[in-house]
Each structure stands twice: as structure tokens, then as C-alpha cells.
Amino acid sequence: MAEDEKYICSLSSAMKKMAEDELNEKDLSRDRDIQVLREKVKGLPGLNSRTDGGFLVRFLRTRKYNVERAFQLIQSYYKARTDAPEFFDNFTPSSVRHVLESGIIAVMRDRDKEGRRVMVFRVDKWDPVVIKLADIFKAGFLLMEKIIEEEETQVAGVAFIEDLAGMTANHVYYASSPTLMYKGYGAFQNAFPCRIKGVHYLNESPLFDGVFAIIKPVLSEKIKSRIRMHGKVYSTLHECLGKHVLPPEYGGDGPDYDDSVKLWTDRLMASEQDFINFNKKGFVAHGNLGTSATGDETMSGMVGSFKKLNVD
């Protein structure tokens, strides 16, 4: 992909209208805004970033075409990759294939009634002795990277389902790491070009209270306002997302959960080389000419230090 490759919009007319109404996107000024953002990114010392239009536009959409805020988000996006090696070292599908195949975290095959992607986390699929929490976050970021390539997802956003059925004291013990939780939820919320349009909890239990006490301070007021606790009442989940997108486990009419797990595992594994190539991007560690801050060999010999940046 050429670094300055011109962006070509593939949105439907309905999605174009949503982008205009909700994100301030305009056909006449989109290319200009992409170019202004590209020049800012290229002018930042020490950052070796993708600058093609298809990459930059996702940040503009997330920040509703405020170019300066989109630029800050790009810095936060790459800085998170440096600050959280637990998630981003060896950031490839093959490194967490066991997590993807377990079904702990998955993307549903279809979109919800608002055009959003739906990502599900299932506690009952997680053996915390075998699978590390950091690897679950990594699998989640990999899935997010893949779905955010879709223009419709950039515009409509993502809804999350957190199914807590089967939660045990062992799960709580392994999930009660403030550092990992802060890094993981903080990066999802503040350093990723994605519109989080809803967080739906199912089958909550008193055991979750301690974990939620760690998560809650990290969340913005906007995200908190989009949280819904459904308990065991799936009919309210149907009202929010639509039955067609949900598997039979949740009273839905959609494909079996395991079918969606396999679909997105296969899609990610087919993108292994794309992730290897993208891992060559990022802030360049000071004094390590030709090496990204995550330790991967970069495509250009830029020198700088992400630590000198004032990033929100």
C-alpha cells in the first residue's frame, strides 16, 4: 500500500449520511482534512506511521473531523504500543491463536440493527490458569484492528457484550490486576480509533463487583452512560442490538457462537503478514536507529523518543 495512497470512499449512501450527520464528514473537504493530518504525522519527529488515506480517515472519523484531536489520537495510538508491551510485543494472530480458538473473545458474524459490529467476551470460556489476561487483551486488540479496517465499522462503531456467566473466585483473582486493567481499558477507550457505542453486561454476579471497581475509574462519563446491566434478561439485549445478530445462547436468531469464532479466527490468521508488516511502524526508540520502540525492525531510519511527547 502506497504511503500517500488516495482514499476512495466505499460507504453506502446510508452510511455516508450517518458519517455526515454524526461525524461531520463531508465529501468536499475529506481529502483536504486527510492531507492536513498526513502532513502533521509526517512532521512529527521519531514517528514512523502509516500515512495512507484509508488509515488516517479512521482517526478523523473517531474524532469527528477535528484534525488536531485526530493527530493526538494517532500519537496516543502509537504510544500505547510502546507503553503496553504486554499487549503489543509480537502483535500477531499466531501469538494468541489459542485465545482466539477458545472463544473467550469473538466478533459476531453479522452487524446489529444500527450497523455496529458486536464483540463478545465470555468468562465461561476462560481458564485463567491456562490463558493469561494479557493475552486476552492482545486478542481483543487484534480483532479490533481487523474490524476497524471496515469503513462501516469506523462510522457505526462497535457494541460490546461482557457475559459473566460462570465467573469464579479464580477468575476474579487473575482479573484483579489494576495495572493490566488500566492499560487495557485505557487503550481501548483513549488510544484506539473506534466508536464505542455500547457495553452490555450479562449474568452479573456479586463476584464482579471487585473487578468493576477497578475498571470503573478508567472509564469516561460517556462510556459509563452507555453501560447496561441486563442480568439474565436477554430480551432487553435484543431490544438494543436485535435478535438477528445474537447466537442461540442469547436467545438470538444468528449463527452459532462457535461459527463466528471460527470465521474471525480464520480472518485474523489470514492477515498474519499484514500484522508483521504493521509492527514495523511506531515511535522509534532513542538511539536505536532503524528499530521501532517495540523492538521490531522499522522500514525507515527515523530517530526520536516518544517520551518527549505531551500526549493526552
Side-chain angles (χ1 to χ4, degrees), residues 98-118:
H98 60 299
V99 181
L100 298 167
E101 292 178 340
S102 74
I104 296 170
I105 188 165
V107 176
M108 297 299 92
R109 185 194 69 184
D110 300 319
R111 297 177 182 275
D112 77 356
K113 64 181 185 177
E114 304 296 335
R116 300 171 293 206
R117 280 292 180 198
V118 176

Side-chain angles (χ1 to χ4, degrees), residues 267-283:
R267 286 183 179 177
L268 272 184
M269 293 307 302
S271 302
E272 176 85 2
Q273 189 59 49
D274 292 336
F275 281 100
I276 291 172
N277 292 339
F278 185 56
N279 288 343
K280 297 173 183 177
K281 301 294 185 180
F283 282 113

Side-chain angles (χ1 to χ4, degrees), residues 40-73:
K40 282 180 171 289
V41 171
K42 284 185 170 183
L44 184 62
L47 177 60
N48 177 22
S49 171
R50 280 179 58 181
T51 56
D52 57 281
F55 178 74
L56 298 176
V57 75
R58 62 189 71 166
F59 293 89
L60 288 167
R61 285 170 171 156
T62 304
R63 290 297 182 252
K64 298 185 177 182
Y65 276 80
N66 181 314
V67 174
E68 188 57 41
R69 292 187 66 223
F71 180 48
Q72 291 171 2
L73 181 57

Side-chain angles (χ1 to χ4, degrees), residues 80 84 87-88 141 181-193 218:
F87 311 142
F88 297 108
F141 281 116
M181 287 296 190
Y182 290 162
K183 284 185 177 183
Y185 279 88
F188 267 123
Q189 175 183 260
N190 302 316
F192 202 84
V218 184

Side-chain angles (χ1 to χ4, degrees), residues 7-278:
Y7 165 76
I8 300 175
C9 183
S10 64
L11 292 172
S12 67
S13 57
M15 278 291 137
K16 279 187 177 182
K17 188 175 189 310
M18 180 185 288
E20 182 174 357
D21 293 345
E22 298 185 15
L23 308 180
N24 302 316
E25 180 166 317
K26 297 176 176 60
D27 286 342
L28 294 178
S29 58
R30 187 196 300 112
D31 286 347
R32 179 202 64 197
D33 292 334
I34 289 173
Q35 183 58 31
V36 172
L37 181 57
R38 178 181 289 125
E39 290 171 359
K40 282 180 171 289
V41 171
K42 284 185 170 183
L44 184 62
L47 177 60
N48 177 22
S49 171
R50 280 179 58 181
T51 56
D52 57 281
F55 178 74
L56 298 176
V57 75
R58 62 189 71 166
F59 293 89
L60 288 167
R61 285 170 171 156
T62 304
R63 290 297 182 252
K64 298 185 177 182
Y65 276 80
N66 181 314
V67 174
E68 188 57 41
R69 292 187 66 223
F71 180 48
Q72 291 171 2
L73 181 57
I74 288 176
Q75 294 175 72
S76 297
Y77 171 81
Y78 281 113
K79 188 173 185 294
R81 290 170 169 266
T82 301
D83 289 349
E86 306 96 324
F87 311 142
F88 297 108
D89 275 0
N90 191 23
F91 190 58
T92 59
S94 62
S95 70
V96 287
R97 184 168 188 163
H98 60 299
V99 181
L100 298 167
E101 292 178 340
S102 74
I104 296 170
I105 188 165
V107 176
M108 297 299 92
R109 185 194 69 184
D110 300 319
R111 297 177 182 275
D112 77 356
K113 64 181 185 177
E114 304 296 335
R116 300 171 293 206
R117 280 292 180 198
V118 176
M119 184 179 288
V120 179
F121 168 70
R122 288 182 56 173
V123 167
D124 66 334
K125 298 281 190 178
W126 178 28
D127 182 345
V129 177
V130 175
I131 294 179
K132 297 186 296 184
L133 179 61
D135 284 344
I136 297 174
F137 273 114
K138 179 188 279 191
F141 281 116
L142 286 161
L143 284 166
M144 290 287 285
E145 286 283 357
K146 193 62 184 173
I147 64 176
I148 208 63
E149 292 176 357
E150 305 166 331
E151 290 206 81
E152 190 170 352
T153 303
Q154 295 168 21
V155 174
V158 180
F160 295 90
I161 296 174
E162 307 270 353
D163 183 0
L164 307 178
M167 177 171 275
T168 67
N170 214 27
H171 289 112
V172 174
Y173 174 78
Y174 282 96
S176 297
S177 167
T179 300
L180 277 181
M181 287 296 190
Y182 290 162
K183 284 185 177 183
Y185 279 88
F188 267 123
Q189 175 183 260
N190 302 316
F192 202 84
C194 174
R195 304 183 71 200
I196 301 174
K197 300 300 291 181
V199 182
H200 302 271
Y201 285 96
L202 304 177
N203 302 302
E204 311 93 286
S205 78
L207 284 172
F208 180 61
D209 292 347
V211 178
F212 193 63
I214 297 173
I215 298 170
K216 192 173 181 180
V218 184
L219 304 178
S220 69
E221 292 304 315
K222 180 180 287 187
I223 298 300
K224 290 176 186 175
S225 72
R226 293 175 178 173
I227 292 175
R228 290 201 60 177
M229 303 287 187
H230 297 273
K232 300 180 185 300
V233 183
Y234 296 160
S235 60
T236 55
L237 184 66
H238 301 164
E239 292 170 7
C240 294
L241 306 180
K243 291 182 70 173
H244 71 281
V245 71
L246 298 169
E249 292 94 323
Y250 303 133
D253 302 323
D256 289 343
Y257 183 81
D258 289 345
D259 291 344
S260 292
V261 170
K262 184 179 187 309
L263 172 68
W264 283 94
T265 298
D266 290 346
R267 286 183 179 177
L268 272 184
M269 293 307 302
S271 302
E272 176 85 2
Q273 189 59 49
D274 292 336
F275 281 100
I276 291 172
N277 292 339
F278 185 56

